[in-house]
Amino acid sequence: MRLPSVLPSGPAVQDAVCNTEALEAAAKLGKVTSPEQTPIFICALGACNRLFPSRERVLAHRKRDHSDVEAGDDSNMITWNG
């Protein structure tokens, strides 16, 4: 199973339950980020699709959980930070 490069679109729905206090509380918990600030690496071997914060963590995962993969093999690895 491959991950789609573009997610299917859907109609927008108006939020009728959120209030100002909830929005202000949410703003304190998160922030908008960019690919340069938040790297994501995905192991795309088979149907694994696990997320990791660095290339090194993906490679360690592959060595442990996908022992048939050669060390340092970057194939089937998806990232959005280049």
Side-chain angles (χ1 to χ4, degrees):
M1 178 177 178
R2 295 191 61 121
L3 297 174
S5 59
V6 178
L7 296 176
S9 62
V13 218
Q14 184 175 356
D15 181 0
V17 296
C18 194
N19 56 34
T20 304
E21 294 81 23
L23 290 174
E24 290 171 356
K28 293 177 185 175
L29 295 175
K31 69 173 191 161
V32 175
T33 186
S34 69
E36 293 78 24
Q37 296 171 323
T38 310
I40 294 176
F41 293 81
I42 304 169
C43 178
L45 286 172
C48 183
N49 299 329
R50 288 190 55 194
L51 304 176
F52 297 91
S54 69
R55 178 181 176 275
E56 291 75 25
R57 293 282 302 269
V58 176
L59 294 177
H61 153 75
R62 287 182 172 190
K63 185 176 182 180
R64 183 185 68 238
D65 297 341
H66 304 290
S67 57
D68 55 330
V69 177
E70 211 174 292
D73 183 7
D74 284 344
S75 66
N76 293 313
M77 184 184 300
I78 301 168
T79 183
W80 77 339
N81 74 334

